[in-house]
Amino acid sequence: MNLADRNRPPKKNILFLGLFFAALLVVIFLLFQSREKETIKIGAIISLSGYGSHLVDLRDAMLLAVDEINSQGGVNGRKIELLIEDSKTDPEEAKAAFERLENGSKKPVLYVSTHSNVSIALAPLAAKHQVVLVGLNTSAPEFIKNEWVYRHFITAGEEGRVAQRLLSELKVQSLGIFNLDDPYGNSVVEALEKNLADTGVKIIKTVFQNDVQDMTPQIEAVQGMQAVYLAGFVKHVAMGIRQLRQANYQGIIITPSGGANPKVTTLPEAEGVYVLAPIVYNPNYQFARDFQEKFESTYNKPFSHNAANGYDFVKIFAGLIDEQEVSRRNIKHILDQGFMYSGVLGYQELEPGGQEILLPLHPTRIQDGNLTFLRKNYR
């Protein structure tokens, strides 16, 4: 054996080292792959029970959008995952759900919430943890409390603006208002009153509580008025319309966007009621019609603008983070740049530096269980 042979490592050692480095490369590759494939998590604190349980539709539509995105490879090779919590339409339950998600092993990069009272309660937590919270189905202006919150829904201001224009078109001179006494109901009424301030319209106003079963006192208070504006959640609007008919009210009935829900429009008593509605209910809007067919065939139930709200937001979010760093702070940075989007709910825009994704309303009337869009759109 010469000197070179004596200094050469044994073949079995070379084989061992080769296997070791090959295994190490495999482990590194798998770790890299698992990191790359970690899901992009959205914390969804949604009213699935309680008086806001109609927003199960919003959850279902979000899941539909997530399935579509993930079936096409996700975003940047990563799938989107919804971490769903039931707020029970209760602010305290919602705050507990938020903290559970924050302290869990799966931490969301962004949160969504539903209903004004719930979203308002969560806004300070979003600021505390420096994570974006997007209010879906959230109208009250006081939700926008800090730089970490954004709204993707119809504003109370838009409800008031379109209602005032409709009242003007109908030449209403006296208006009875009864509304849910909570941040949503009070905010849409305040917006309407502001728009009516210089019109000379006489107003009588009364409120009801969430657990109301009999609206007779409210109806008696507005019985002699030319028109009635009824603001509340879907169950309140349906109840109010039925009881107004039972009381033989002969005037004009107008509801905010909540009255566009099929649980209201399909009521026999709702025939002829005026509703402020988003474009999603226009049968001539092809994009919305396609979504309707997809939603109804998937879940075997009518679609609603609440469902469209959830679906559009997931699609918007996926588009915004495409080829972008996905972190809490960068998501806020992306939103702060603003965007324009055409979706199921029509044209949607977030102005640079803004916090509200604008959604327009249109005057409609219930006819044969459907919403008929009037010629005036008040834009």
Side-chain angles (χ1 to χ4, degrees):
M1 178 182 292
N2 60 32
L3 185 60
D5 290 334
R6 219 181 311 161
N7 292 333
R8 184 179 295 126
K11 289 183 178 180
K12 63 179 182 180
N13 289 346
I14 295 173
L15 179 61
F16 173 79
L17 287 172
L19 290 173
F20 172 79
F21 282 113
L24 182 61
L25 287 172
V26 169
V27 170
I28 292 171
F29 175 78
L30 290 175
L31 287 172
F32 179 79
Q33 286 292 95
S34 65
R35 183 181 176 186
E36 284 296 295
K37 292 182 179 180
E38 181 184 356
T39 59
I40 300 169
K41 301 170 184 65
I42 300 174
I45 302 175
I46 304 172
S47 303
L48 303 178
S49 59
Y51 59 87
S53 60
H54 60 281
L55 291 182
V56 168
D57 290 354
L58 186 146
R59 177 205 62 187
D60 292 345
M62 290 185 74
L63 288 169
L64 181 61
V66 167
D67 286 345
E68 289 176 6
I69 293 164
N70 289 345
S71 68
Q72 296 168 4
V75 184
N76 305 329
R78 298 168 63 183
K79 292 186 176 182
I80 294 177
E81 181 181 1
L82 291 183
L83 306 178
I84 298 170
E85 292 276 352
D86 181 9
S87 73
K88 303 179 183 178
T89 327
D90 180 274
E92 294 305 316
E93 290 281 352
K95 288 192 285 187
F98 189 104
E99 294 293 0
R100 277 198 302 274
L101 290 173
E102 277 298 294
N103 296 322
S105 58
K106 295 182 174 183
K107 187 169 289 191
V109 295
L110 169 141
Y111 285 88
V112 300
S113 59
T114 62
H115 279 308
S116 293
N117 62 338
V118 168
S119 297
I120 289 169
L122 294 181
L125 293 179
K128 173 185 174 183
H129 294 280
Q130 297 196 331
V131 59
V132 166
L133 169 68
V134 179
L136 308 179
N137 205 84
T138 298
S139 295
E142 56 264 44
F143 167 61
I144 306 295
K145 288 182 174 180
N146 62 71
E147 63 176 334
W148 289 93
V149 296
Y150 299 81
R151 186 198 319 277
H152 182 228
F153 197 59
I154 303 149
T155 65
E158 176 71 355
E159 299 271 17
R161 186 187 69 81
V162 179
Q164 184 273 319
R165 294 293 299 274
L166 177 58
L167 290 165
S168 177
E169 289 287 332
L170 296 173
K171 302 187 186 315
V172 170
Q173 295 299 311
S174 64
L175 178 66
I177 297 175
F178 59 108
N179 65 278
L180 176 63
D181 187 14
D182 89 326
Y184 163 70
N186 292 328
S187 65
V188 296
V189 167
E190 287 168 8
L192 176 56
E193 288 183 298
K194 182 178 179 180
N195 280 275
L196 290 173
D198 300 320
T199 64
V201 174
K202 177 184 176 182
I203 296 175
I204 291 178
K205 188 170 67 169
T206 182
V207 299
F208 55 83
Q209 302 305 313
N210 175 56
D211 58 356
V212 64
Q213 297 298 318
D214 183 4
M215 293 185 174
T216 299
Q218 289 80 14
I219 293 171
E220 288 178 347
V222 302
Q223 184 66 262
M225 308 302 279
Q226 184 184 355
V228 164
Y229 183 73
L230 170 57
F233 296 126
V234 171
K235 71 167 190 174
H236 303 125
V237 173
M239 180 192 304
I241 291 172
R242 283 196 302 264
Q243 294 187 9
L244 279 164
R245 298 303 192 199
Q246 290 165 5
N248 200 32
Y249 175 71
Q250 298 297 310
I252 298 166
I253 302 174
I254 302 172
T255 82
S257 56
N261 190 288
K263 291 180 180 178
V264 175
T265 59
T266 55
L267 292 174
E269 298 91 341
E271 183 73 13
V273 169
Y274 290 89
V275 180
L276 315 179
I279 196 67
V280 68
Y281 295 105
N282 191 327
N284 296 321
Y285 183 38
Q286 182 64 47
F287 197 179
R289 198 159 67 237
D290 292 344
F291 168 72
Q292 177 181 0
E293 293 171 0
K294 189 181 302 181
F295 183 86
E296 292 182 352
S297 65
T298 301
Y299 295 110
N300 194 31
K301 61 181 178 180
F303 87 118
S304 68
H305 64 283
N306 307 114
N309 188 200
Y311 182 87
D312 268 356
F313 176 73
V314 172
K315 293 287 189 172
I316 288 170
F317 175 69
L320 290 175
I321 63 172
D322 186 33
E323 298 184 0
Q324 299 287 333
E325 174 197 344
V326 181
S327 67
R328 290 184 166 190
R329 186 159 290 279
N330 198 49
I331 287 171
K332 183 183 185 311
H333 172 73
I334 292 168
L335 288 171
D336 286 341
Q337 306 312 299
F339 64 83
M340 293 177 288
Y341 176 78
S342 291
V344 179
L345 285 168
Y347 175 76
Q348 300 158 57
E349 180 180 2
L350 177 64
E351 295 181 353
Q355 292 176 269
E356 300 191 306
I357 301 167
L358 303 178
L359 297 177
L361 286 176
H362 307 269
T364 71
R365 197 174 190 188
I366 300 173
Q367 295 180 326
D368 299 322
N370 296 303
L371 289 168
T372 299
F373 280 69
L374 307 181
R375 287 186 178 182
K376 302 285 185 180
N377 64 15
Y378 307 151
R379 301 318 302 166

